[in-house]
Amino acid sequence: MDKLLIARGLSKVYPGLTRPAVVGLDITLSSGQILGLLGPNGAGKTTSLAMLSTRLQPTSGELRIEKMAARPHKRLVRQRIGYVPQDIALYGDLTGRENLLFFGSLYGLTGERLPKRVEQCLDFVLLGKVGEQQVGTYSGGMKRRLNLAVALLAEPPILLLDEPTVGIDAQSRSLILESLATLAARGNALVYTTHYMEEVEQLCDTVIILDGGEVIARGTPAELVAREACANLGDLFLKLTGKSLRE
Amino acid sequence: MFFTTPLWATIKKELLLLGRDRAGLLILFVMPAVLVLVITLVQDNVLKKMGESPLELILVDQDGGKAARDFSRLLTQSGQIGLRREERETAGKAAVERGDFQLCIVIRPGMSDEVRRLSRVMVREMVEGNESPPPALPPGRIELYFDPLVMGGYRSSMLASVKMAAMAVQFEELLAALQAELTGLFNQLPPLPPEFELSGHTSWDLTELGERELITVTEPRFAHETGVVVPDSVQQNVPAWSLFGIFFIVVPLAGSIIRERLTGTLGRLLVMPVPFFVFLLGKVAAYGLVCLAQFGLILAIGKLLLPLLGAPVFELGDNYGAILLVLLAAVAAAAAYGILLGTVGRSYEQVSMFGAMSVVIAAALGGVMVPVYAMPETMQKLSQFSPLGWALEAMLEIFVRQGGGREILRPTLLLAAFAAACLAGAWSYFNHRERAGKF
């Protein structure tokens, strides 16, 4: 299988701090794979995603997207990555369709391809009938689905998803998880962060657990659960990261 | 086709968002329109000097005689007027043309001699009861060169002060001549007999002395002032309040940046395959278009609506290139300031409050509400630091003083430098936060 994303020894030390936010993160992601990136608050998930999305420059390490080094080919690399932020990163005063038209044009879609792709994405997340409504009138689940649709506009082979199901109803969550599984089946590679362990068990082929910026576990969910003799991934997570509250 | 390029897409997006932000539109269009209407009508013909500090005028005394000295003494006697003496007429006029002073008074050579001679002639004729008309001696001359920006009421009060001082000089000279004449007459009389009794007297009509003007006060125009626009509240207020409206884009612009940051949209934009400056350029272009529309609206009010309400018509002139240049510089300065506030600010409430307040303060300092020359000295010094003041200075150069590229160069460059400084500050702060991972 084609290796779509290769990260080697990604580390980040923020200016003025001595303790690194992320240390030596290695990821290799092939077509159709879904990687779950787990960790308590402050573990380094957001920093890792920021480096993988090229928003943040790593202090050391290397990132390659479809064999292209990320740093010198930032624009091309960004074209190949779809990013779903944790926030509902949409314009509430624009309609769903207007949001997609705007973001689609930023991905370089032009001419007839743009509205065609917008309709495909709206249909994919089952929002075709409400495309003319302002996003501010959408329910939380509809906004989450549109948030995902924006990331799909350029048909990127890699998707980075930062807690895409947080705070929504069961039906929308189910739809999003099904959509992600469909995308993986079509050959997309996904990096998925969440605090819902059952989602990871349901969706991910591989799991990386981060704590204090370091990788403390890596493997398939079944392997990890078996290795630590836990009942499920949730128990495993608490066993490895402890029960003390994180700020 | 919509959204065919990222820049056009950003402009379109911003205009769509603005179009759906009714409160923002209200701020941008209705507020300056109402302000220009209300303030112009209120100020029309009642604009007066409001400052309590002495007014500094330039005096070029080409005469140097007693009457000229008396004139300057009497003019400054009230404490409301301060005189800066200038040797050369050209230097004095240049200071007024630059707007550094509002009035240059030139006392022409020979004024004192002419006033003295004319006083003597008039007194002698009165004493001798001569019925023939007085000889045609040229009266002494005082010329006033006003800054074209100085408006109705204020101009009248300065003119009245000058004329009053000139009249007082005239009376002093007449009294001196009368005293000299009477002294001469009494000296010619023989000693009075001891039994002298005042049984009758000769009457002289002194009112005649006050009827003739021995010093003329004129208001010649500067050489370039032919066809100059008469300064009035409309010529002052239309550019002033349209600039105020332009600078008010700070509030919705900073607000849109804050909203994008707080909703996470900014984070999404930052991982798009488009350089970030394109988004900023798109914002500036969209808000710039709004500013042009806003400017057009205020001009239309000045041209069409205000005359219907009894105010004078706004004269746009024909220096469109200079107007556009100043307009673009003002838009750039306002947009850059909005970007800075949006970058540094933490919440929409914070930037809307601070943005609005800072624009109102800059407008007040810059002479939008009260002309700078009518402010106390300290405020006049502070007004030098107001971007709105620079923009207004440039606009008034065009609309009132009929200035061109050379005259607007300094304020336009200041506006451009302000815009560059704001953008540099915003860029530096933004990069610092990004590098620190403060998303």
Side-chain angles (χ1 to χ4, degrees):
Chain A
M1 279 192 289
D2 289 342
K3 288 187 172 44
L4 297 178
L5 184 153
I6 300 170
R8 290 274 172 266
L10 288 186
S11 298
K12 182 67 190 179
V13 183
Y14 287 114
L17 298 178
T18 49
R19 190 169 159 268
V22 173
V23 187
L25 180 66
D26 293 323
I27 298 175
T28 302
L29 208 54
S30 300
S31 174
Q33 271 192 317
I34 303 180
L35 167 71
L37 195 59
L38 306 180
N41 289 337
K45 298 190 300 294
T46 303
T47 300
S48 299
L49 277 187
M51 287 192 288
L52 294 175
S53 68
T54 73
R55 179 176 177 180
L56 195 63
Q57 183 64 38
T59 310
S60 62
E62 186 192 20
L63 174 67
R64 285 184 169 272
I65 303 292
E66 292 184 314
K67 296 177 184 167
M68 271 186 297
R71 198 171 179 182
H73 303 102
K74 202 182 257 184
R75 279 190 65 190
L76 285 173
V77 161
R78 287 179 173 188
Q79 199 81 36
R80 309 302 290 154
I81 296 173
Y83 175 62
V84 182
Q86 185 181 341
D87 300 307
I88 306 286
L90 302 164
Y91 295 100
D93 288 335
L94 299 186
T95 66
R97 189 167 278 109
E98 285 167 346
N99 266 285
L100 292 179
L101 284 168
F102 168 61
F103 287 112
S105 68
L106 299 187
Y107 278 117
L109 299 176
T110 54
E112 288 178 4
R113 201 172 150 228
L114 176 60
K116 191 177 168 187
R117 187 64 195 142
V118 165
E119 295 312 315
Q120 285 172 351
C121 289
L122 278 173
D123 290 341
F124 184 74
V125 294
L126 303 184
L127 290 173
K129 288 182 182 167
V130 292
E132 285 306 308
Q133 281 182 26
Q134 286 188 18
V135 170
T137 65
Y138 284 11
S139 68
M142 290 159 82
K143 288 176 186 169
R144 285 280 167 204
R145 277 143 58 194
L146 190 67
N147 217 23
L148 170 64
V150 171
L152 302 177
L153 280 162
E155 301 181 74
I158 298 162
L159 279 176
L160 306 176
L161 303 112
D162 193 358
E163 302 187 38
T165 59
V166 72
I168 57 170
D169 61 295
Q171 285 76 17
S172 287
R173 176 186 292 185
S174 169
L175 178 75
I176 288 175
L177 294 179
E178 281 174 24
S179 305
L180 296 179
T182 306
L183 289 166
R186 288 180 187 172
N188 288 81
L190 279 64
V191 178
Y192 189 83
T193 76
T194 183
H195 288 293
Y196 302 123
M197 297 301 153
E198 69 278 12
E199 288 183 0
V200 178
E201 284 180 318
Q202 179 189 334
L203 204 65
C204 299
D205 313 301
T206 317
V207 171
I208 288 176
I209 300 178
L210 289 170
D211 199 10
E214 295 183 25
V215 177
I216 57 169
R218 180 196 293 268
T220 66
E223 274 173 13
L224 291 175
V225 167
R227 192 190 304 160
E228 297 292 333
C230 293
N232 53 41
L233 200 60
D235 286 344
L236 169 79
F237 185 79
L238 286 176
K239 185 179 178 184
L240 294 178
T241 60
K243 291 188 175 176
S244 61
L245 294 174
R246 309 296 177 94
E247 299 302 327
Chain B
M1 194 64 197
F2 292 133
F3 302 127
T4 45
T5 68
L7 178 61
W8 172 238
T10 308
I11 294 170
K12 173 81 178 172
K13 179 259 292 179
E14 291 296 337
L15 291 175
L16 275 173
L17 288 173
L18 263 172
R20 286 169 194 171
D21 179 8
R22 288 182 190 162
L25 283 180
L26 205 70
I27 287 176
L28 288 176
F29 283 92
V30 180
M31 184 201 58
V34 170
L35 283 171
V36 74
L37 271 173
V38 174
I39 304 291
T40 303
L41 293 172
V42 166
Q43 283 186 351
D44 195 33
N45 273 335
V46 296
L47 195 72
K48 289 184 168 63
K49 180 186 184 310
M50 284 167 270
E52 292 302 317
S53 57
L55 185 70
E56 287 290 320
L57 309 178
I58 290 190
L59 179 75
V60 180
D61 184 0
Q62 296 175 337
D63 175 65
K66 180 179 176 297
R69 288 196 301 277
D70 287 346
F71 171 77
S72 59
R73 175 179 53 78
L74 288 163
L75 199 58
T76 54
Q77 198 165 258
S78 67
Q80 291 299 305
I81 291 175
L83 289 178
R84 192 180 115 173
R85 289 179 182 276
E86 191 65 63
E87 288 299 314
R88 290 178 302 121
E89 182 182 344
T90 48
K93 284 180 178 175
V96 172
E97 283 183 284
R98 282 196 306 271
D100 296 344
F101 292 85
Q102 279 67 57
L103 174 61
C104 173
I105 303 172
V106 180
I107 303 176
R108 291 298 175 198
M111 184 190 82
S112 294
D113 291 344
E114 284 163 7
V115 172
R116 198 183 315 118
R117 198 163 59 232
L118 202 50
S119 301
R120 284 177 186 165
V121 169
M122 283 181 70
V123 167
R124 178 153 301 160
E125 289 192 344
M126 181 193 74
V127 169
E128 290 172 357
N130 195 343
E131 293 295 320
S132 62
L137 288 173
R141 279 192 303 140
I142 292 176
E143 289 176 1
L144 306 183
Y145 292 89
F146 276 105
D147 178 353
L149 284 184
V150 175
M151 289 179 285
Y154 186 38
R155 198 179 184 114
S156 307
S157 73
M158 286 210 276
L159 188 61
S161 299
V162 170
K163 283 193 168 174
M164 208 175 286
M167 199 174 285
V169 169
Q170 176 173 331
F171 276 112
E172 279 188 7
E173 288 294 334
L174 283 168
L175 282 174
L178 189 60
Q179 191 183 21
E181 192 66 33
L182 290 176
T183 307
L185 280 175
F186 282 122
N187 287 342
Q188 288 169 21
L189 291 173
L192 291 171
E195 68 278 14
F196 174 79
E197 192 180 324
L198 193 63
S199 57
H201 66 276
T202 306
S203 70
W204 293 321
D205 187 3
L206 290 170
T207 55
E208 237 182 56
L209 292 178
E211 281 172 1
R212 181 147 179 217
E213 222 176 38
L214 304 187
I215 302 173
T216 58
V217 178
T218 57
E219 291 179 67
R221 286 183 169 181
F222 287 110
H224 67 274
E225 278 191 283
T226 44
V228 76
V229 175
V230 178
D232 53 41
S233 61
V234 175
Q235 290 300 122
Q236 157 84 16
N237 280 312
V238 167
W241 291 106
S242 58
L243 285 169
F244 183 71
I246 285 172
F247 271 81
F248 238 85
I249 65 159
V250 162
V251 176
L253 177 54
S256 83
I257 293 172
I258 289 277
R259 262 197 293 265
E260 281 182 340
R261 200 173 72 218
L262 295 181
T263 59
T265 321
L266 181 67
R268 172 166 257 158
L269 292 175
L270 287 169
V271 295
M272 288 280 168
V274 176
F276 189 62
F277 78 86
V278 173
F279 301 122
L280 291 183
L281 198 62
K283 270 189 195 297
V284 171
Y287 281 85
L289 287 173
V290 171
C291 287
L292 292 178
Q294 204 186 37
F295 189 71
L297 172 75
I298 305 293
L299 285 190
I301 289 174
K303 279 263 179 208
L304 306 171
L305 187 56
L306 282 170
L308 293 179
L309 299 170
V313 181
F314 178 70
E315 297 296 339
L316 183 61
D318 56 4
N319 206 343
Y320 302 121
I323 295 169
L324 189 65
L325 188 65
V326 174
L327 204 53
L328 292 178
V331 169
Y337 182 50
I339 288 169
L340 176 65
L341 279 190
T343 309
V344 175
R346 293 295 172 90
S347 68
Y348 183 77
E349 291 73 19
Q350 192 187 52
V351 295
S352 57
M353 183 72 81
F354 184 81
M357 274 180 60
S358 58
V359 170
V360 169
I361 290 169
L365 285 176
V368 169
M369 294 154 191
V370 175
V372 174
Y373 62 75
M375 291 179 190
E377 199 180 337
T378 316
M379 302 307 281
Q380 286 190 22
K381 282 179 183 161
L382 282 176
S383 78
Q384 301 295 312
F385 300 99
S386 164
L388 258 154
W390 304 330
L392 184 58
E393 181 190 334
M395 285 285 188
L396 292 177
E397 280 289 351
I398 299 166
F399 291 135
V400 181
R401 293 199 186 105
Q402 307 294 291
R406 203 175 50 152
E407 286 78 16
I408 63 163
L409 186 65
R410 181 187 159 275
T412 308
L413 285 177
L414 279 171
L415 284 168
F418 176 77
C422 285
L423 286 178
W427 188 253
S428 159
Y429 186 83
F430 174 77
N431 272 338
H432 171 74
R433 283 188 69 85
E434 277 289 300
R435 278 199 304 272
K438 291 175 181 169
F439 303 138

